Amino acid sequence: MSENLRSYTITLVDGLSVPCVEHGDPTGTPLLLLHGYPDSWRSFESVLSKFPVSIRAIAFTQRGHGEADKPASGYSPVDFAADAVRLLDRLGISRAVIAGHSMGSFVAQRIAIDYPERVSGLVLMGSFPTLIGNIVADELWREGVSQLEDPVGRAFAFDFQRSTVKQPIPDQLLNIFVSESLKVPARVWRAALKGLMNADHTRDLHCIGAPTLIVWGAYDNFFPRSDQNKLLGAIRNAELLIYETSGHSFHWEEPERFVRDAAAFVETVALSRIPA
């Protein structure tokens, strides 16, 4: 881990302990990064230290994942969103830009819908309005996740993580992501995916008023361009940025570009909130 990153474990008000890592000035503009399924804070390890110090970039591992506590229940998007808000409370952060990848992007949407006063901006990375009717998710559940047993096989985790990228990424990074996935019990693989499959934000997206940057890789194997168009049409203050040569996990494939784009968005949001 980079020496520029600060790591700690934080216990939320409900007793749930989660690992956190951050970079930047503690008084800087807060950016909360939410990882995807079944990742951990390490999904953002290659980008965290690249953010300008004026941004307080914070990544944490969500319940059930990585080294976080793994309670028996609480794996719906609503639960994950509540955890993220409790984390902001513990860190004394009233408002933040929320950036989420894949599952994390759906959780970010939920935060913006249920806790709009806590969100100054949204970055939706490889996102979607619902998994209902998503053929890839249905197949993943039917032919893989529903049948998982502990310990989860490395080959399964490897194939899943490899499918999220179009361009090659360093073997060392891919092995980290696979190893983190193997820390997730089979029951959490099932509960988290089922929680996503049972949720639908289509009718709620119009409630999102925060400035929103939608970022999508043109070779995304999970969520098509049509999903991005639905998000763009429903969220009233949104823009779409396409990474033409990348897949679902474009922040692994093009980390420098992602940091540039996300930092520019965060800084624009911060400037827009400065009183005249």
Side-chain angles (χ1 to χ4, degrees), residues 37 75-78 80 103 106 128-146 188-202 223:
Y37 169 89
Y75 296 101
S76 75
V78 170
F80 287 125
M103 178 188 80
F106 202 73
F128 56 99
T130 182
L131 285 186
I132 296 172
N134 184 298
I135 296 172
V136 177
D138 289 343
E139 181 179 341
L140 177 64
W141 171 260
R142 185 177 62 252
E143 298 185 9
V145 173
S146 67
V188 176
W189 279 80
R190 288 192 291 272
L193 181 56
K194 205 61 178 177
L196 290 171
M197 294 176 73
N198 290 337
D200 186 352
H201 288 172
T202 305
F223 308 120

Side-chain angles (χ1 to χ4, degrees), residues 213-271:
L213 178 65
I214 302 165
V215 193
W216 177 70
Y219 287 91
D220 193 320
N221 290 327
F222 294 87
F223 308 120
R225 173 66 185 268
S226 58
D227 277 351
Q228 316 314 305
N229 292 341
K230 290 173 184 175
L231 294 170
L232 190 62
I235 301 172
R236 56 183 179 270
N237 190 11
E239 60 179 305
L240 174 63
L241 184 60
I242 299 175
Y243 285 32
E244 298 286 356
T245 60
S246 292
H248 183 60
S249 295
F250 50 81
H251 61 307
W252 299 349
E253 300 174 65
E254 302 186 65
E256 290 83 6
R257 179 183 176 186
F258 170 70
V259 168
R260 263 195 326 269
D261 293 334
F265 176 76
V266 172
E267 288 165 358
T268 298
V269 169
L271 286 172

Side-chain angles (χ1 to χ4, degrees), residues 8 10 20 22 56 58 86-93:
Y8 49 91
I10 196 162
C20 289
E22 63 175 271
R56 182 185 182 186
I58 306 161
R86 292 184 185 112
L87 177 70
L88 293 177
D89 289 343
R90 289 285 283 111
L91 294 176
I93 297 172

Side-chain angles (χ1 to χ4, degrees), residues 105-147:
S105 75
F106 202 73
V107 174
Q109 293 174 33
R110 194 72 249 165
I111 297 170
I113 293 164
D114 292 344
Y115 309 91
E117 72 283 357
R118 308 304 296 271
V119 180
S120 55
L122 277 182
V123 182
L124 303 179
M125 309 161 58
S127 198
F128 56 99
T130 182
L131 285 186
I132 296 172
N134 184 298
I135 296 172
V136 177
D138 289 343
E139 181 179 341
L140 177 64
W141 171 260
R142 185 177 62 252
E143 298 185 9
V145 173
S146 67
Q147 302 173 37

Side-chain angles (χ1 to χ4, degrees), residues 25-36:
D25 186 341
T27 66
T29 304
L31 168 65
L32 183 64
L33 297 153
L34 305 175
H35 63 76

